[in-house]
Amino acid sequence: VTGTSTSATSAGTDTSGTYTSNEDVGGPGTIEQTANEINQIGGIGIPIYCDHGNDEQVKELFDTIDKKHGRLDILVNNAFRMPPGGTSNLLGNFWDLPISTWDSIHTIGLRSHYVASKFAVPLMRKKKKKKKN
């Protein structure tokens, strides 16, 4: 789970949350709060810090999941980052905004979704292959 999504979590499900929202990036919640919400609805929330703008940390996250669980059943891939200064920096003409605004939004967002999927899919396919045997 990236972000604070708990709706995909069901009772008895081990869920690793990687939400990194805090004063630095803005937005509600923490990974600990997400894990607690998952635990309250019957899942097993495991908070893991991961900077989704850092490919190596993302790889390490999925390596950890593989070592501890040997599989990944579902990826809720919804990481997003507000630009520095929050939504007020999105107002006005896009051509007047610094290019760094685009980079900030799409590095943690569009690009990070691809990167997480790249590392998640082999774990998900591994589970599928085991079922066939």
Side-chain angles (χ1 to χ4, degrees):
V1 175
T2 59
T4 57
S5 296
T6 56
S7 60
T9 304
S10 60
T13 303
D14 291 353
T15 305
S16 298
T18 64
Y19 194 66
T20 59
S21 181
N22 56 34
E23 292 87 27
D24 295 335
V25 296
T30 66
I31 56 176
E32 291 80 11
Q33 289 170 335
T34 301
N36 286 336
E37 289 177 22
I38 292 166
N39 292 333
Q40 288 173 3
I41 61 173
I44 302 169
I46 306 165
I48 301 171
Y49 178 83
C50 178
D51 176 353
H52 284 272
N54 180 320
D55 295 350
E56 189 56 35
Q57 284 189 28
V58 176
K59 181 182 183 313
E60 289 172 14
L61 168 70
F62 288 99
D63 287 347
T64 299
I65 292 169
D66 189 23
K67 286 175 191 161
K68 289 186 176 184
H69 303 282
R71 69 181 206 282
L72 179 65
D73 299 324
I74 186 170
L75 173 66
V76 179
N77 204 2
N78 66 339
F80 175 76
R81 184 177 197 276
M82 284 289 178
T87 57
S88 63
N89 283 341
L90 297 176
L91 301 176
N93 301 319
F94 76 88
W95 57 87
D96 292 331
L97 298 174
I99 293 172
S100 61
T101 300
W102 171 270
D103 292 340
S104 176
I105 294 171
H106 289 88
T107 296
I108 310 270
L110 182 62
R111 185 179 186 283
S112 68
H113 294 172
Y114 168 79
V115 174
S117 296
K118 174 193 175 9
F119 294 119
V121 168
L123 288 175
M124 297 169 94
R125 290 179 52 83
K126 184 173 161 180
K127 177 188 171 206
K128 187 176 182 179
K129 286 179 185 176
K130 283 185 180 181
K131 279 187 169 183
K132 288 182 179 180
N133 292 335

